Amino acid sequence: MDSEKIKYLQENYNLPSYRCQQLKEAFFHKHISEYTNITTFPKELRGRLQEEVPVLTTSLYKIYASQEKNAYKALLQLKDKRLVETVLLNPKPGLWSCCISSQVGCVLGCTFCATGTMGLARNLSSEEITDQVLFWQFFIKEEKIPARLSNVVYMGMGEPFHNKKEVFKSLRELMNPETFHLGARHLSVSTSGLVPAIYEFTEQFPQVNLAISLHAPNNELRVKLMPINKPYPLEKLMAAIEHYIEATNRKVFIEYIMLKEENDSLVLADQLADLLKKVSKSHLLHVNLIVYNQTDSEHIETPKEKARKFKNRLQEKGLSATIRKNLGRDIDGACGQLALKEPGRTTYFQSTNFVEVI
Ligand code: SAH
Ligand code: SF4
């Protein structure tokens, strides 16, 4: 459900505009998930709409909750039966954020990423993207979780800028005061570095947060981990980051997965610091060191102590850096783990301590 679908309903069911208002109120404010529960609506119409125009483009296939109930992962089934994953996270009290997918799979093939091993099945439409947010809003209401969804990050399956048109449309929808009405500063897009799209994003969404998956401080290493570095090497990527900061005066989040004995030495920490310090206003860069979530690749997670030393070295060099808290690992719901690990679909990566709630 989005503003376009409301328009469709208006035109095809001859709804007066106050009826459209009631629908928006029901779905986007009260988070009522079914027409049949919209009591302000005539009964006959509720039944017809329920039959003919489903509220969500997705249906729930499976949902998992982490032990501490601070992370949930849902597998949603699309109309063509393909599955997509989305995650709801509660990183600190009162803050709920969801991580949404922009594609089924991804073509960019980063070696550490489970989604990358699937290849790309297809792009999601803008409505399929925003429906993931609406799905979680309905879920929070139904589960009586006493909180509001405040943040949305495009860090699920897929490369958002490889599906630029629909992702940009979905960002507009999430900010639309008539529907989702989320503030731009509560939205974040993570990219592996599709340089031309970063410039367009800067132009069109200067208030939306930008995260760059860097993962290596030199081209030689980066190209091994991320094939996208070939067409868009670090020189071009860093120039796009510099331009974003110049144009927006806003922070950029630099994502860096810690991979044991690959990119985690202090020599590379120095190289990373040098690379980032070259950016003017480098105080606006924040390095998120990410604990590698084991997938069935050859990479291994950096030991905690070593990751801490790496972080300290960056801080000594004057950079802002933290090690990112990783929620949802026990349900394979953390970054890079989203690969539809369903038996019989792709390799099932066994998680021992999830709780299946539905
Ligand atoms: N395609 C986009 C967004 C989706 S991936 C991107 O690459 O930025 C979201 C984040 O998860 C990225 O920073 C990505 O590098 C990271 N990631 C991928 N695989 C991971 C893994 N196995 N462990 C931890 N983070 C991973
Ligand atoms: Fe695609 Fe991002 Fe995974 Fe790379 S890390 S394969 S760009 S989803």
Side-chain angles (χ1 to χ4, degrees):
M1 183 56 60
D2 59 6
S3 51
E4 223 165 67
K5 193 164 264 171
I6 300 267
K7 217 178 193 172
Y8 169 88
L9 290 169
Q10 177 170 28
E11 285 163 7
N12 289 273
Y13 292 81
N14 278 327
L15 298 183
S17 55
Y18 80 95
R19 286 277 177 228
C20 295
Q21 252 350 89
Q22 287 174 331
L23 286 179
K24 287 182 201 161
E25 178 74 18
F27 298 132
F28 299 103
H29 297 282
K30 297 189 176 147
H31 302 143
I32 297 174
S33 61
E34 303 200 37
Y35 296 99
T36 41
N37 295 334
I38 307 177
T39 48
T40 48
F41 247 60
K43 245 198 168 131
E44 176 270 336
L45 190 54
R46 284 189 241 166
R48 249 182 89 199
L49 292 178
Q50 190 85 16
E51 283 275 298
E52 295 170 15
V53 191
V55 179
L56 293 176
T57 50
T58 58
S59 57
L60 181 60
Y61 183 77
K62 227 171 204 189
I63 189 159
Y64 302 101
S66 68
Q67 295 266 290
E68 296 120 72
K69 290 276 173 78
N70 59 6
Y72 296 86
K73 176 173 81 168
L75 270 78
L76 302 178
Q77 187 158 50
L78 305 165
K79 272 209 200 92
D80 59 6
K81 303 278 179 231
R82 289 200 161 94
L83 294 174
V84 79
E85 296 188 340
T86 176
V87 181
L88 178 68
L89 300 161
N90 177 210
K92 49 185 169 191
L95 178 74
W96 286 86
S97 97
C98 72
C99 173
I100 57 174
S101 294
S102 55
Q103 300 181 304
V104 185
C106 181
V107 79
L108 297 182
C110 302
T111 59
F112 44 79
C113 173
T115 309
T117 61
M118 299 170 60
L120 176 67
R122 74 166 172 89
N123 283 333
L124 296 184
S125 69
S126 166
E127 190 183 1
E128 286 169 335
I129 297 170
T130 57
D131 271 355
Q132 297 168 59
V133 179
L134 199 52
F135 165 79
W136 287 122
Q137 290 178 325
F138 292 164
F139 176 81
I140 286 174
K141 165 112 192 249
E142 275 150 27
E143 290 296 300
K144 301 194 174 55
I145 297 173
R148 208 170 60 84
L149 182 74
S150 48
N151 290 39
V152 177
V153 300
Y154 286 68
M155 284 195 188
M157 298 169 76
E159 165 52 49
F161 289 167
H162 195 234
N163 180 18
K164 192 181 64 192
K165 186 163 158 267
E166 295 302 309
V167 164
F168 282 11
K169 191 172 163 193
S170 68
L171 283 169
R172 287 204 181 85
E173 184 67 28
L174 292 179
M175 293 188 285
N176 184 342
E178 292 279 304
T179 55
F180 289 90
H181 203 189
L182 292 166
R185 287 163 187 244
H186 295 270
L187 308 176
S188 307
V189 177
S190 173
T191 179
S192 56
L194 267 72
V195 168
I198 297 176
Y199 285 96
E200 285 178 63
F201 173 82
T202 307
E203 176 84 29
Q204 295 185 37
F205 301 99
Q207 304 287 324
V208 173
N209 299 304
L210 175 65
I212 303 283
S213 297
L214 200 73
H215 308 322
N218 63 62
N219 285 321
E220 199 188 341
L221 180 57
R222 193 165 190 269
V223 82
K224 278 194 211 149
L225 301 172
M226 307 175 72
I228 187 72
N229 194 71
K230 225 179 199 154
Y232 302 118
L234 282 170
E235 298 68 29
K236 289 186 179 166
L237 181 56
M238 295 314 292
I241 294 173
E242 175 99 44
H243 172 257
Y244 174 91
I245 293 181
E246 273 308 312
T248 65
N249 215 17
R250 304 203 57 232
K251 256 191 190 164
V252 173
F253 298 87
I254 303 290
E255 313 284 300
Y256 194 100
I257 302 183
M258 301 297 293
L259 302 171
K260 188 179 174 189
E261 281 159 28
E262 292 187 87
N263 67 355
D264 60 355
S265 69
L266 291 181
V267 173
L268 291 175
D270 288 339
Q271 252 185 46
L272 178 61
D274 291 345
L275 179 75
L276 298 182
K277 293 294 278 187
K278 273 196 231 135
V279 174
S280 45
K281 300 193 187 161
S282 62
H283 63 281
L284 289 175
L285 297 175
H286 179 83
V287 183
N288 266 324
L289 297 173
I290 306 176
V291 178
Y292 170 60
N293 296 308
Q294 194 63 52
T295 64
D296 36 20
S297 81
E298 313 245 289
H299 304 287
I300 299 171
E301 165 185 350
T302 294
K304 272 204 182 77
E305 190 45 33
K306 197 160 182 200
R308 219 173 48 80
K309 284 192 179 141
F310 194 96
K311 181 198 75 176
N312 290 346
R313 180 61 68 92
L314 294 179
Q315 289 175 336
E316 281 157 27
K317 296 244 167 169
L319 285 163
S320 147
T322 44
I323 299 178
R324 191 162 74 190
K325 196 170 159 185
N326 234 330
L327 301 181
R329 287 180 107 192
D330 60 340
I331 48 169
D332 291 347
C335 274
Q337 290 189 317
L338 305 184
L340 310 175
K341 290 168 193 132
E342 279 294 291
R345 284 184 182 266
T346 57
T347 35
Y348 190 65
F349 179 63
Q350 194 63 40
S351 171
T352 48
N353 54 350
F354 64 71
V355 184
E356 206 171 307
V357 286
I358 291 173

